[in-house]
Amino acid sequence: MRHCICIALLIALLPVSSGFGACNVSAQISSGSVLPGQLVQLTIQASGSNISDPDLSVLKDTGWQVIDGPVIGRSYQIMVINGRRTESQTLTWTYTLRCDRQGKQQIPAIPVTVDKQQCLTNPIQVTITSQKSETERSDANARQNGQPTLDDLAFITTSVDRKQVFQGEQIMLTLSIYVLDSMGVDIEIPRNLPLPNLSDFLQGPQNRTVDRANMRGFSYRVQRLEQVIYPVQAGTLTIPAWSWQGRVYWPDRSLFGQSSAIRDFYAPPITITVEALPPSPPEFSGAVGAYRAESVFPRDTLTVGTPVQWAIAITGKGNPDTVGAPRIPPIPWAHISGPEIDLDGRDGGELTKIFTYQLTPLVSGEQELPEIQYVFFAPPLRQYKTVRIPAKKVNVVASVSPSGTENTRTASEGSTQSFSRQDTNAPIVIPIVKDPTGLSSGWRISRWTTRSAFAIALLSPVAVWIVLSLYVLRLNRMKTDRAYARKSRAVNLFEERLRQTTPDEDPGGCIYKAVTDLVSDLLDARESGLTTEEVVSLLAGRISEDELRRLELLLRRCERARYGGADLSVEEVQALREGAFEMAAMLVERLR
Amino acid sequence: MKTRVKYVTVFLLVAAFGWADVKSDIWSDAVRAVENGRYDDALKGFWRLADEGVMSPELYQNLAACYQRSGETGKALACLEFAVRLQPSEETYHAMINGLLRSLDRQSIRPTGGGWRDAVFFWTDHISPGLLVIGGLLLWFTAWGILLLRLWYPRRALTLSAAILLLLACYAGAGWWHRTHPLPVGITVRTETPIFFGKNADDVPRFILSEGERIAITLLDGSWSKIRTSDGKTGWCQTDSIAIVSNTLQMPRTDMLEPDV
């Protein structure tokens, strides 16, 4: 009977067990004990041939929030047994979760459909407590031995310079990343480092610093991000927890000499109490902080109608956007416009907001710039404070118009040349100039003349330079190029020789020598002693036959006159000279 | 011959002095017209002098005064802007412009030239044009003197220094040109001046300028001008709705004379 019951139970449970046996689904959490708001990794794994994504809607109302993910991993398996092929895959989904509730929180069973079958992961219990976990206590024990734990290698903190402030008061929020300064520890932080969501605050200047500090008995390199924030509303405001994931590297004796681990960095939220401002006086500028006011006025003596710049600088610590322009009391003796606003010193220290007004004196005489009051709320005093810029005496003198007439306060059309205004709201009246000074155009140099003279003045050194350059080039060539030098001087030498010809001293020989030397110079041939035959052979082909024959005839006549013994008459010498000049002109022309 | 030259000289002198008297008479008549409230007659007289080539800032001050009294603030502003161009150092005209601007609904600032000219010649703004041209000529002559010296003493240092001086001379010359040829400024002379996307008056205006607003003229194309406002908006407007202040003053005139001065 007992056997029968056992067999019946087995038969009854068989389909159930076979049904659950097909579900290969599991879930794991990165840490069983975490701080409130700390990020944890939930990994779900499922194997099968057809797998759908996990349904995380079951996490709703459980206190768990999905911050990031999933990161999906996939692996395939193909098995061939006795020629039969089976394929399967294993999928892993990694989610980043966060829970702000304290106590034992359960991650419920998460449904996953595998091969058209609904499967459930195992539920997971997570302890969320701000107390030190067992691991941390063991870390503390390890630290007592002088050895840093994994948490000691790198950690983060957030801090504020004050937790009770007034609305609009400046708070310095410091986000610090500590990395152990010894043992070659390093961390990899996300490229876009996530910062706490500061939607309840206005954000001011940001400053980054790097320094060293001792914490937990170790020395750390500290990267600090200092962010100025201003609470926008009264009440209890929270700077949310700062949490992100990074990787910590430290050296060890492994094959690669370095190990690493992914760490969840977490800094708890900070609560700030913001008080509302007390009822403000009507002169309140809107600024909250500590300020001082200064006035810069260019000179003590002003001129009617001539505008001057009047700068009022408000310097201090606080939100520059709330620093309003100071109220200027009415100034009956001048018109004031502006201000133009400039901001100095945005690096997180003191800020100076400069309000520049344009002041145009309208009435001459001794005048006074009024006292300026600037009202702001001073948090240390818990009340409004007034800073004052004292009144200042200035002397306003009447201006002189272009025609030399003094401008006075009263301006009436047609009777005076003043352009001053009687009051700040009346339109200005441009005075009429009755006696012109520059009416006569006088003697004027025409524009064409001016431009021509200017062009000549500009181009004259260029022209001189060109001429002198050509001259120097010629001089250099005369020194270096012998043929060019002889050719250049040939005609001058020829004329010189013929000028020296006289009927008494062998005129035929002189003319003969002048002509042959001319040919020699023009052709860069032997310098002296050329015979008629040599001259003819040198010139053959360079000049025409007829010209060559005439030149030969001239040279022959000179030779005959030279060696004939009889003196030549003046007419004969003149004829030979003319013939020589004619031949020289022809030769210079042909041999150029 | 000498006698003829004497006669011609005497004639020219008499004519010059006579014309000077005529100018004084025209001026006095125009001033009287202003005093009697006949601003159109006064404008005709002053414009006649302007058309005859009188380039006196006082003349343009009087034109501005007449236009202001006639209720044409935009034209008055244009005349004062031209007076400032003629005599930039006179603070009185700047004060008058500021005073006139205060009477307008919208007080636009004077547009800057912008672009490469301001970028290249920004530091010449504090040097007078005369000093620039004298400095440029000195550099020019010095450079050519060095080049002449180099003909006899061909040294590389001389070539280099001459080249640098020539570049500086060109820069000074270009700076002088920049100072003496400021970009034209336009002043709207109508109560409302529509600015269009293109050169089409039937189009929907891009924006509308009120009278007396100062704009930069970036392109003149016949009856249309491309403009840029002081806050960087651009568009096209009809040239007859603006006064253009450059080396001359061009504005739509009601008298019979040509607008070009």
Side-chain angles (χ1 to χ4, degrees):
Chain A
M1 182 62 188
R2 188 178 290 173
H3 286 287
C4 289
I5 292 169
C6 288
I7 289 165
L9 272 173
L10 279 170
I11 291 167
L13 289 171
L14 188 61
V16 178
S17 64
S18 66
F20 276 102
C23 282
N24 193 1
V25 176
S26 64
Q28 283 183 329
I29 196 84
S30 59
S31 176
S33 175
V34 293
L35 294 162
Q38 186 175 354
L39 302 180
V40 290
Q41 308 291 321
L42 171 67
T43 307
I44 300 169
Q45 190 171 39
S47 298
S49 53
N50 186 11
I51 308 167
S52 66
D53 284 342
D55 180 11
L56 264 65
S57 61
V58 295
L59 292 178
K60 194 178 177 187
D61 300 329
T62 59
W64 290 97
Q65 303 167 47
V66 179
I67 304 298
D68 197 11
V71 177
I72 300 174
R74 193 185 298 265
S75 66
Y76 289 95
Q77 283 182 321
I78 300 171
M79 288 190 295
V80 180
I81 302 169
N82 293 331
R84 189 178 171 192
R85 176 190 165 111
T86 53
E87 289 183 16
S88 68
Q89 61 174 332
T90 301
L91 281 171
T92 54
W93 296 267
T94 305
Y95 296 89
T96 305
L97 304 184
R98 168 183 164 169
C99 182
D100 293 327
R101 296 180 189 169
Q102 294 204 15
K104 288 196 173 180
Q105 301 292 333
Q106 188 184 56
I107 297 175
I110 297 167
V112 185
T113 306
V114 180
D115 296 335
K116 298 180 182 174
Q117 189 179 351
Q118 181 86 348
C119 301
L120 295 171
T121 62
N122 49 306
I124 301 170
Q125 286 283 350
V126 181
T127 306
I128 298 171
T129 176
S130 54
Q131 302 293 320
K132 283 185 176 177
S133 65
E134 196 64 34
T135 319
E136 284 172 317
R137 277 195 288 276
S138 65
D139 285 352
N141 291 334
R143 206 176 293 138
Q144 282 174 0
N145 299 330
Q147 293 296 317
T149 64
L150 183 60
D151 282 348
D152 288 332
L153 296 182
F155 61 91
I156 62 173
T157 62
T158 53
S159 62
V160 289
D161 60 346
R162 65 196 79 176
K163 289 191 173 178
Q164 189 152 9
V165 293
F166 280 95
Q167 191 179 342
E169 189 181 350
Q170 177 176 311
I171 303 169
M172 181 66 80
L173 167 66
T174 307
L175 309 172
S176 308
I177 302 173
Y178 289 79
V179 180
L180 197 65
D181 199 18
S182 57
M183 299 168 59
V185 177
D186 203 359
I187 67 163
E188 180 185 324
I189 60 177
R191 184 166 294 175
N192 295 318
L193 185 65
L195 300 179
N197 179 17
L198 299 169
S199 56
D200 289 338
F201 301 87
L202 289 174
Q203 295 183 36
Q206 204 178 67
N207 189 28
R208 287 171 190 264
T209 59
V210 177
D211 60 7
R212 284 184 162 73
N214 284 317
M215 290 278 283
R216 305 179 177 182
F218 301 106
S219 173
Y220 288 90
R221 301 190 302 275
V222 191
Q223 295 180 45
R224 293 188 206 279
L225 175 73
E226 294 171 342
Q227 171 76 57
V228 174
I229 55 176
Y230 309 97
V232 292
Q233 58 188 15
T236 304
L237 304 182
T238 303
I239 298 171
W242 185 34
S243 63
W244 43 274
Q245 203 171 58
R247 183 178 283 276
V248 183
Y249 297 89
W250 67 93
D252 64 3
R253 294 179 182 173
S254 66
L255 178 65
F256 300 103
Q258 191 180 46
S259 293
S260 69
I262 291 178
R263 277 280 316 280
D264 292 321
F265 290 94
Y266 174 82
I270 299 172
T271 304
I272 292 173
T273 306
V274 182
E275 287 183 57
L277 298 181
S280 61
E283 301 82 17
F284 178 44
S285 63
V288 178
Y291 295 96
R292 61 182 185 277
E294 289 167 311
S295 164
V296 179
F297 203 72
R299 49 185 179 267
D300 295 334
T301 303
L302 311 177
T303 307
V304 169
T306 304
V308 289
Q309 305 281 324
W310 183 19
I312 296 173
I314 309 294
T315 306
K317 278 193 168 182
N319 186 356
D321 295 334
T322 59
V323 176
R327 294 192 179 186
I328 308 289
I331 305 175
W333 54 270
H335 176 268
I336 189 160
S337 62
E340 289 178 6
I341 301 170
D342 291 311
L343 194 60
D344 265 359
R346 294 170 185 271
D347 56 352
E350 281 198 333
L351 289 157
T352 301
K353 205 163 185 178
I354 303 165
F355 301 90
T356 307
Y357 297 86
Q358 192 172 52
L359 185 136
T360 311
L362 302 169
V363 182
S364 58
E366 188 173 319
Q367 308 291 356
E368 186 181 75
L369 284 172
E371 181 190 75
I372 307 292
Q373 295 186 354
Y374 194 75
V375 181
F376 61 94
F377 183 76
L381 304 174
R382 304 181 69 82
Q383 62 182 6
Y384 293 93
K385 187 180 176 185
T386 304
V387 288
R388 288 180 170 81
I389 297 171
K392 178 184 171 71
K393 296 275 185 195
V394 290
N395 186 27
V396 181
V397 295
S399 70
V400 177
S401 77
S403 57
T405 311
E406 237 186 31
N407 288 319
T408 62
R409 184 178 187 278
T410 52
S412 62
E413 187 178 314
S415 59
T416 176
Q417 297 180 4
S418 162
F419 61 92
S420 300
R421 294 167 48 193
Q422 296 199 12
D423 63 72
T424 52
N425 295 321
I428 190 171
V429 178
I430 301 170
I432 289 284
V433 180
K434 289 181 179 175
D435 304 316
T437 52
L439 192 57
S440 172
S441 52
W443 183 77
R444 282 188 190 169
I445 304 169
S446 74
R447 183 173 284 187
W448 188 88
T449 313
T450 316
R451 286 182 180 176
S452 304
F454 193 70
I456 289 167
L458 276 183
L459 293 177
S460 57
V462 185
V464 170
W465 183 81
I466 290 170
V467 169
L468 282 175
S469 293
L470 291 174
Y471 175 69
V472 170
L473 276 175
R474 183 179 155 80
L475 278 183
N476 286 340
R477 193 171 177 191
M478 294 285 271
K479 281 179 188 169
T480 54
D481 191 345
R482 182 171 169 275
Y484 175 79
R486 287 185 70 189
K487 200 170 186 174
S488 303
R489 294 189 190 115
V491 176
N492 288 343
L493 285 173
F494 170 77
E495 288 173 352
E496 184 67 23
R497 281 167 189 148
L498 281 194
R499 260 201 301 277
Q500 292 169 359
T501 308
T502 54
D504 305 333
E505 296 176 6
D506 187 13
C510 286
I511 291 170
Y512 180 87
K513 189 170 184 332
V515 173
T516 53
D517 283 354
L518 175 68
V519 172
S520 166
D521 286 342
L522 286 175
L523 297 176
D524 192 26
R526 199 174 71 232
E527 285 195 18
S528 60
L530 284 179
T531 62
T532 305
E533 287 73 21
E534 284 171 336
V535 169
V536 169
S537 67
L538 278 172
L539 292 173
R542 295 176 192 267
I543 58 176
S544 66
E545 286 289 330
D546 181 47
E547 288 164 344
L548 191 60
R549 192 174 50 76
R550 284 166 57 203
L551 179 66
E552 187 182 359
L553 192 62
L554 175 74
L555 292 174
R556 295 283 181 213
R557 279 186 185 166
C558 289
E559 279 181 330
R560 272 201 297 278
R562 189 176 187 186
Y563 300 114
D567 291 338
L568 293 173
S569 65
V570 174
E571 290 75 18
E572 285 171 328
V573 171
Q574 187 61 30
L576 283 176
R577 280 172 59 123
E578 284 173 3
F581 272 118
E582 189 185 342
M583 282 297 113
M586 181 271 293
L587 286 170
V588 169
E589 178 67 26
R590 297 288 184 272
L591 302 178
R592 182 179 290 168
Chain B
M1 182 66 186
K2 284 182 181 175
T3 315
R4 194 175 292 173
V5 170
K6 279 180 188 171
Y7 282 137
V8 170
T9 309
V10 168
F11 173 76
L12 286 175
L13 283 172
V14 169
F17 284 115
W19 172 230
D21 279 345
V22 171
K23 282 181 185 173
S24 295
D25 291 344
I26 294 171
W27 188 287
S28 303
D29 289 346
V31 169
R32 266 196 298 279
V34 174
E35 288 170 349
N36 295 327
R38 293 181 286 108
Y39 302 123
D40 286 345
D41 293 340
L43 280 170
K44 276 181 188 169
F46 288 129
W47 271 121
R48 187 182 167 197
L49 292 173
D51 292 333
E52 293 293 342
V54 176
M55 297 289 269
S56 157
E58 294 163 358
L59 172 63
Y60 288 91
Q61 179 188 333
N62 279 6
L63 279 168
C66 291
Y67 277 124
Q68 189 200 21
R69 286 157 175 79
S70 308
E72 295 181 277
T73 314
K75 289 181 178 177
L77 195 60
C79 292
L80 287 178
E81 284 283 350
F82 191 66
V84 165
R85 292 231 171 177
L86 292 177
Q87 201 169 357
S89 58
E90 180 56 56
E91 287 192 357
T92 312
Y93 297 126
H94 293 282
M96 285 179 189
I97 287 173
N98 288 335
L100 207 55
L101 283 173
R102 283 198 293 274
S103 66
L104 295 171
D105 295 336
R106 292 174 61 181
Q107 298 168 8
S108 66
I109 58 170
R110 187 183 286 117
T112 56
W116 65 270
R117 281 179 59 173
D118 282 353
V120 173
F121 300 115
F122 68 95
W123 68 268
T124 58
D125 292 345
H126 303 292
I127 305 174
S128 71
L131 203 62
L132 278 171
V133 79
I134 288 169
L137 283 174
L138 276 175
L139 288 167
W140 177 262
F141 287 119
T142 312
W144 284 106
I146 290 173
L147 283 175
L148 287 176
L149 193 65
R150 186 188 156 279
L151 291 175
W152 279 273
Y153 304 101
R155 303 281 185 277
R156 194 170 175 171
L158 290 179
T159 315
L160 191 66
S161 50
I164 290 169
L165 289 179
L166 280 177
L167 282 175
L168 286 174
C170 291
Y171 183 75
W176 166 79
W177 175 83
H178 168 70
R179 290 295 310 277
T180 52
H181 294 76
L183 287 174
V185 170
I187 292 112
T188 50
V189 295
R190 291 183 181 169
T191 312
E192 285 188 340
T193 302
I195 307 296
F196 299 95
F197 285 97
K199 294 185 281 186
N200 182 8
D202 297 329
D203 206 351
V204 178
R206 186 179 179 194
F207 55 93
I208 291 174
L209 295 175
S210 54
E211 186 177 7
E213 292 208 47
R214 289 175 290 182
I215 48 181
I217 310 287
T218 53
L219 186 66
L220 273 170
D221 188 7
S223 61
W224 288 88
S225 300
K226 194 175 183 185
I227 62 105
R228 189 184 69 244
T229 62
S230 52
D231 54 355
K233 290 190 286 187
T234 58
W236 291 86
C237 71
Q238 287 174 305
T239 307
D240 62 0
S241 61
I242 54 173
I244 299 170
V245 180
S246 57
N247 290 334
T248 58
L249 173 63
Q250 299 171 46
M251 66 161 68
R253 281 160 54 179
T254 50
D255 58 339
M256 300 302 290
L257 298 169
E258 285 296 315
D260 196 358
V261 178

